[in-house]
Amino acid sequence: MKKHYIILFAAALAFGFISCKSTKQNTKPDTPTTEQAAKVPVATDNSAALDAAETARRAAVKAGADKAAPDQFNDTDARYNALVKRSKAGENVTVELADVTARYRALEEYTKAAALKKRIDELGFQSYDKMNYNKGANALSAAEKLSADKSSTGAQLYEQAHTAYASLNTALQNAFKTRAREERTAAFNAKRNADSVYAAVAEKKAYDGGVADFRSGDTSYAQQDAENALKHYGDARKTFEKLYADISEKRAAAQNAIEKAKAKVAETSEYAVQADKDAPLSGSNIKGIEDENAVLLKAETYDDPAKAAQAVPETVSDTEAAK
């Protein structure tokens, strides 16, 4: 009987040991498998694409796109805001952000192109560079049509807007360049007329100002700033034209006075001749009459007024300014 108890006790002890070991093994945490780790979501970094879109948006606002094309701008803003939310949720939206960036850039250049066309039309410069003007105007219309097409992409919009801006800008600059050359020729001829009436002596300060404007025009032209060159040449032309007109008027008045004086001298001379006949004077040292060899006025010497004129070149190159 005692032997049976020993056997039962040994069996119970062995069972308890096995149960305890099993319990300890189950308390150890499970290690996730590779497949389980792959299912954990990882947030995508869209920061660079977001920065590019925001920079393009600011440039569009600076150009005035939000006012020039409010519907298109608001539509692009809606796209952008939706992508920002998706990005915060961890989605990869870099491709969509690139499209939005292109749309903002297209709006910027479209706005600038429209302003250029308006200015060209207002100045009447359409004919100076017809090829670029027509190319730009057509691209501007194409951009407007694309903006109304919901299926158009940002890249397509930017292509047309950029073509419009680049072409119209070239057309405007070429027009200013041609007009500057025309105005320079007119200013040069006006200066030549002013020199013919010795404006450098008669109205030195105004004359020097005109020459300074003329030379500033040459400097601006050589620096590829044809618009500013046109302004300087125009100011110089107006100065020289006014000098020529004013001095010519004064010279005409002076000449008229001289002719009147000559007429009076002739009249007095005739009267003296008649007086000599009626009551001739004789002898010398007659009171009130100077000796015929007397020097009444000191002789004066004058510089040649033509030497006072300042020379400027008749033509100007695209890169060299007048000295």
Side-chain angles (χ1 to χ4, degrees):
M1 184 71 176
K2 188 176 181 180
K3 187 177 180 180
H4 288 292
Y5 284 130
I6 291 172
I7 293 170
L8 288 171
F9 178 76
L13 184 65
F15 179 77
F17 178 76
I18 292 170
S19 298
C20 183
K21 185 177 181 182
S22 176
T23 302
K24 288 181 180 178
Q25 286 177 341
N26 291 339
T27 59
K28 187 177 180 180
D30 293 334
T31 302
T33 65
T34 303
E35 184 179 352
Q36 289 174 326
K39 292 180 180 179
V40 177
V42 178
T44 302
D45 183 7
N46 296 302
S47 58
L50 286 167
D51 288 344
E54 183 58 34
T55 299
R57 185 184 186 280
R58 285 196 297 268
V61 172
K62 186 177 180 180
D66 54 331
K67 296 179 178 62
D71 292 341
Q72 293 84 348
F73 186 85
N74 291 336
D75 175 70
T76 306
D77 260 0
R79 292 170 184 264
Y80 178 50
N81 292 331
L83 291 174
V84 170
K85 290 180 181 179
R86 289 171 57 189
S87 176
K88 289 179 179 178
E91 287 189 55
N92 183 345
V93 290
T94 54
V95 174
E96 292 94 328
L97 282 170
D99 179 76
V100 164
T101 299
R103 290 175 183 276
Y104 279 131
R105 292 179 66 196
L107 282 166
E108 176 196 357
E109 301 220 348
Y110 168 82
T111 303
K112 290 180 178 179
L116 284 172
K117 184 178 183 301
K118 181 180 179 182
R119 193 175 184 206
I120 291 172
D121 293 343
E122 289 176 347
L123 292 170
F125 282 1
Q126 301 95 322
S127 63
Y128 285 98
D129 185 353
K130 286 185 177 180
M131 183 183 76
N132 277 303
Y133 175 80
N134 291 336
K135 183 178 180 181
N138 291 337
L140 199 63
S141 297
E144 291 170 351
K145 290 178 181 178
L146 279 173
S147 66
D149 183 358
K150 298 298 182 182
S151 65
S152 61
T153 65
Q156 291 172 327
L157 286 165
Y158 177 75
E159 180 183 4
Q160 293 301 324
H162 179 69
T163 298
Y165 174 66
S167 300
L168 290 168
N169 186 55
T170 299
L172 182 61
Q173 294 309 312
N174 286 341
F176 273 125
K177 196 171 182 179
T178 301
R179 282 290 298 116
R181 282 186 173 276
E182 292 173 348
E183 194 67 20
R184 188 185 191 280
T185 298
F188 183 86
N189 291 333
K191 179 185 177 297
R192 180 179 288 168
N193 290 336
D195 288 338
S196 72
V197 294
Y198 307 116
V201 175
E203 297 285 349
K204 186 177 187 309
K205 185 177 180 180
Y207 178 86
D208 288 348
V211 172
D213 272 326
F214 191 94
R215 288 176 174 163
S216 293
D218 278 356
T219 299
S220 294
Y221 190 87
Q223 294 173 345
Q224 307 303 309
D225 186 359
E227 181 177 357
N228 208 29
L230 174 61
K231 179 184 180 302
H232 284 303
Y233 291 141
D235 290 343
R237 174 184 58 78
K238 291 172 186 175
T239 296
F240 293 134
E241 286 178 345
K242 187 175 187 305
L243 284 172
Y244 177 73
D246 290 349
I247 296 172
S248 295
E249 184 179 350
K250 291 176 182 177
R251 283 165 65 95
Q255 186 63 38
N256 185 50
I258 289 172
E259 295 301 327
K260 287 182 177 180
K262 284 181 178 181
K264 280 192 175 184
V265 168
E267 183 181 340
T268 302
S269 178
E270 290 177 2
Y271 177 79
V273 169
Q274 186 61 42
D276 281 343
K277 289 181 180 179
D278 295 340
L281 298 174
S282 61
S284 59
N285 296 323
I286 300 172
K287 187 177 180 180
I289 299 179
E290 300 290 345
D291 184 85
E292 63 180 350
N293 295 319
V295 177
L296 302 180
L297 296 173
K298 184 180 179 180
E300 296 283 353
T301 58
Y302 299 95
D303 293 332
D304 183 358
K307 292 181 180 179
Q310 299 186 47
V312 294
E314 189 169 356
T315 60
V316 65
S317 71
D318 288 353
T319 56
E320 184 177 358
K323 307 301 183 190

